[in-house]
Amino acid sequence: MQVNHRFRMLAVGALLLAWAGAGQAAQQETLDLSLPSHSYVQNAGSFVLAANDTDVLVKKQDTTATTAAPQQPFEPPLWTASNAHMYLGLATIATAFLTAATAPEDGCGEHTACPNPPPPRQTNGTHAKLAKTTVALAAATIATGLWAHWDDFYLEDGWTDPDNLHVLLGVTGAALMAYATNKSAKSAVKVSHAGIAELGAVGMVVAIKLTW
């Protein structure tokens, strides 16, 4: 009985070993992780397509860059507050010289006797109209200057700064011309005002020259 029992145990062990060997062989066949040869061909194709796409993008960008329209040079607008200030200042100087050139004579000279009583003054003649026009242009010049160049004026820089001198001389010159015009217009007789008006005009000329 013991011999039969041992024989059965040996037979069962042999069967278990045979079954385990067959299972291991089957697992080795199913767990083959090696890559097939055609996968490398597919991957190589993907790299080729990627390279071709890059070439196409570069060529497309180059074509776009060459066909783009050239940029036009920047041209500042013709009419700005700064330009208006400059034009009005020049017009003020021009009318100031015309005002001085059209000043009427007093009728008294070396060979001409002064009438007594003197004739009434002409307050609406060419000289008077040009003087009023000059004062109006000077006021407009100051207004546009404050509008366009307010940030250029700094008291911290001192009065020797060209921008500060420009403001000081321009405003003073316009005030002197306005004072001379008002003094002459309100007087029933001829009063001396030409020197004050000419000094104001010179002040505006110097102010323009400082920042020209």
Side-chain angles (χ1 to χ4, degrees), residues 38-185:
H38 61 82
S39 62
Y40 293 100
V41 177
Q42 183 178 0
N43 292 336
S46 63
F47 285 121
V48 172
L49 290 176
N52 291 336
D53 292 341
T54 304
D55 294 337
V56 171
L57 290 175
V58 172
K59 292 180 180 179
K60 186 176 181 180
Q61 291 177 357
D62 294 339
T63 305
T64 304
T66 55
T67 57
Q71 295 182 353
Q72 297 295 331
F74 174 75
E75 295 182 0
L78 182 62
W79 187 258
T80 61
S82 180
N83 289 343
H85 174 65
M86 180 182 66
Y87 297 146
L88 288 170
L90 295 176
T92 301
I93 300 304
T95 54
F97 280 111
L98 291 175
T99 302
T102 57
E105 296 183 1
D106 55 6
C108 299
E110 183 179 356
H111 303 286
T112 305
C114 293
N116 190 16
R121 297 182 65 243
Q122 294 182 359
T123 57
N124 293 320
T126 302
H127 176 74
K129 291 180 179 178
L130 285 173
K132 294 176 182 178
T133 302
T134 301
V135 173
L137 288 173
T141 301
I142 294 173
T144 54
L146 293 175
W147 177 266
H149 301 287
W150 179 262
D151 294 335
D152 297 335
F153 179 72
Y154 294 101
L155 288 177
E156 293 80 2
D157 296 336
W159 292 110
T160 57
D161 181 74
D163 291 329
N164 294 345
L165 277 177
H166 174 80
V167 175
L168 176 63
L169 292 175
V171 172
T172 303
L176 289 175
M177 289 190 295
Y179 171 76
T181 301
N182 184 67
K183 179 181 178 181
S184 177

